[in-house]
Amino acid sequence: MSDSEIVQDAIEKTHEEDEAHTAGMGRTRRIAAIVLTLLGATGVICSMQANDAQTEYLVKTTEFADTWAQYQGKSDRRAIDLGVAEIERHLATTNANDLALTMDMTKRAAEAQRMQSDTAKGDGMEQLAAKAHEIDVEREGARHKHDRVELGTRVVELCAMVTGLSLAVESVPLLAVAAIAGIAGAAYSIGASFGLL
């Protein structure tokens, strides 16, 4: 075999190997593109769920603050009514004949009691404290949901980046790791979205 034939055979062999490698990577690139698309779509959906949970947390925080402000207003009003009733009680001992003073004292004492507990309207201090506790439990649940969904979303986003890296370095094992970890992150995020975690 001549030198030119040896060179020609080497070129053909290299060309065949390159075509085989390119064909294999073409399939890998298609799979990577599908994985990347799915991870991207899952990341968007999970991010929307995290935003919804964060919005719920903020709404509950506002509701919680409003309830405690209402409680504080009732508490202040009750303290004033009790104080005025006490002053009127002392005045009534010196003015036993003052019917208006006695009636106002009784009215203020009853109003102070209503501020403490109003089962008819459900907005006495006792009822407001119970309502605030319920809101706080819901608020903390929304915060935990947000944190879990956000964690899963971050895993999905990192796996999307690793998928891109697997394309750049042409690494099928890296693509497989990114796909598996991305599925796990998506499952975690979706589970947290539906309250399964």
Side-chain angles (χ1 to χ4, degrees), residues 42 45-46 49 148-149 152 184-197:
T42 304
I45 291 168
C46 293
Q49 288 291 325
R148 289 183 185 113
V149 172
Y188 183 82
S189 188
I190 291 168
S193 294
F194 291 106
L196 302 176
L197 302 176

Side-chain angles (χ1 to χ4, degrees), residues 71-97:
Y71 175 93
Q72 188 61 49
K74 297 276 183 177
S75 177
D76 292 348
R77 188 170 163 195
R78 179 177 180 272
I80 291 168
D81 283 339
L82 286 174
V84 171
E86 183 64 23
I87 291 169
E88 289 176 342
R89 188 179 65 77
H90 286 297
L91 290 174
T93 58
T94 58
N95 290 333
N97 297 334

Side-chain angles (χ1 to χ4, degrees), residues 16-97:
E16 288 171 5
E17 288 173 358
D18 189 43
E19 284 179 358
H21 177 72
T22 303
M25 281 312 294
R27 181 171 180 255
T28 302
R29 285 188 181 125
R30 283 192 299 278
I31 292 170
I34 291 168
V35 168
L36 194 56
T37 301
L38 291 175
L39 288 174
T42 304
V44 168
I45 291 168
C46 293
S47 182
M48 288 171 26
Q49 288 291 325
N51 289 342
D52 290 348
Q54 186 176 33
T55 299
E56 181 183 355
Y57 173 75
L58 294 174
V59 166
K60 291 297 180 185
T61 298
T62 302
E63 190 177 346
F64 180 75
D66 288 348
T67 302
W68 276 115
Q70 189 179 4
Y71 175 93
Q72 188 61 49
K74 297 276 183 177
S75 177
D76 292 348
R77 188 170 163 195
R78 179 177 180 272
I80 291 168
D81 283 339
L82 286 174
V84 171
E86 183 64 23
I87 291 169
E88 289 176 342
R89 188 179 65 77
H90 286 297
L91 290 174
T93 58
T94 58
N95 290 333
N97 297 334

